[in-house]
Amino acid sequence: MNELLVFVCDGAPVRGEFVSLGSTWQSIVERRNDPPAVRALMGEFVAAATLLTASIKLDGTLIIQAQSQGPIQLLVVECTSQLEVRATVKLNPNVTEIPDNATLAELLDAEGSGRLAITLDPSDRKASQAPYQGIVALNRPSPSHPGLLEPIESVSEAIMLYMQNSEQLDTHVWLACGPDSVGGFLLQRLPDTGGASQYDPVMMSEGWERIQILGNTITNEELLTVSPETLLRRLFLEESTQYGVRSFPTRLVRFACRCSRQRVADVIRMLGQEEVDSILVEQGMVETTCDFCGMQYRFDPVDCKQAFASSTLTDAVRPPSKGH
């Protein structure tokens, strides 16, 4: 299963999504050997990125990026509007042991150093325009001690706060990551449109509350092992008549990396001639490995010379003679 399913309720202001990733998730982690807690966190972010991409009207790429001085130095998850995903994580070499049950706060917000951002990068963005970026809170006001902040412990809570602050939409998110798959479920309360609501006010409130209650019955095991279509039927069979639960055709989610020889040539040019020459003297060629897919790229002195001589990325590279 590598599917995303979107549904709406015609009789209540509710929109929802299910995502289930099997082989797509395996493609992301097959070359990695991350600690279980790190793997679980990355898996939940992958599910969250897929759900968010489908819920936000965007023709481009959604990027979730986290940085900290804790066990995780850098985490990046990307999902395009075509539901092509990739992800990577870099660990702090000074941290030797990570508990299997480590929380988001323990992995990303050690001593308040963590930073989590969600970036929306439209495909038609001009070079002079900056993509939209929203900062995601890693702490929240304490309900028991007003004026104090307490850490956010889970990916789902961080995503819900982001949607509330950025999109002004009440959102509930459930996420799960297992050894072989990841799953996610998102519910949103849609805003009223126009001067007169299309929904009956009583049904509008009751419908949102009722569907949230049903959503809370879902288990991690179901998210990881049951198809989105079956989950939809299980949860909302009785509500399909009252609230008009209606689904759309499932969409395929797949792993895809955007690295290329052309992009590496661009990076070489940004390094500058002096830096590249010193690498060539020391190593004989410039080598790099993509953090997302593990693809290796090698540029010998002739490749590097062509990269600097060309004014365009397409002309900057020739068919590789060694490696990729």
Side-chain angles (χ1 to χ4, degrees), residues 10 23 25 30 42 44 47 61 67 75 77 106 110 116 126 131 134 162 164 197 205 208 213 233 253 301 304 323:
D10 293 328
S23 60
W25 169 238
E30 63 184 358
M42 184 166 70
E44 291 186 6
T61 304
Q67 293 176 292
L75 181 146
V77 179
E106 293 167 336
L116 179 62
K126 297 179 181 178
Y162 167 79
Q164 179 64 56
S197 173
S205 178
W208 171 242
I213 290 172
R233 290 194 301 270
V253 186
C304 295

Side-chain angles (χ1 to χ4, degrees), residues 116-127:
L116 179 62
I118 295 179
T119 302
L120 308 181
D121 191 6
S123 57
D124 58 355
R125 178 174 61 87
K126 297 179 181 178

Side-chain angles (χ1 to χ4, degrees), residues 297-309:
Y297 295 92
R298 300 181 179 91
F299 279 65
D300 62 22
V302 176
D303 294 320
C304 295
K305 182 178 180 180
Q306 285 187 308
F308 284 109

Side-chain angles (χ1 to χ4, degrees), residues 62-114:
L62 181 143
I63 305 162
I64 297 178
Q65 181 170 321
Q67 293 176 292
S68 82
Q69 297 176 16
I72 292 180
Q73 282 189 336
L74 175 68
L75 181 146
V76 181
V77 179
E78 298 180 1
C79 183
T80 71
S81 47
Q82 289 75 42
L83 300 186
E84 297 174 336
V85 296
R86 65 176 188 169
T88 188
V89 64
K90 180 180 180 181
L91 301 182
N92 187 334
N94 297 321
V95 177
T96 57
E97 186 175 351
I98 299 176
D100 290 351
N101 61 347
T103 65
L104 179 146
E106 293 167 336
L107 292 171
L108 283 180
D109 198 31
E111 300 179 356
S113 66

Side-chain angles (χ1 to χ4, degrees), residues 52 159-169 171 188:
L52 289 181
I159 298 301
M160 287 189 283
L161 284 176
Y162 167 79
M163 292 300 292
Q164 179 64 56
N165 296 332
S166 178
E167 303 295 323
Q168 285 77 55
L169 291 176
T171 304
Q188 285 181 337

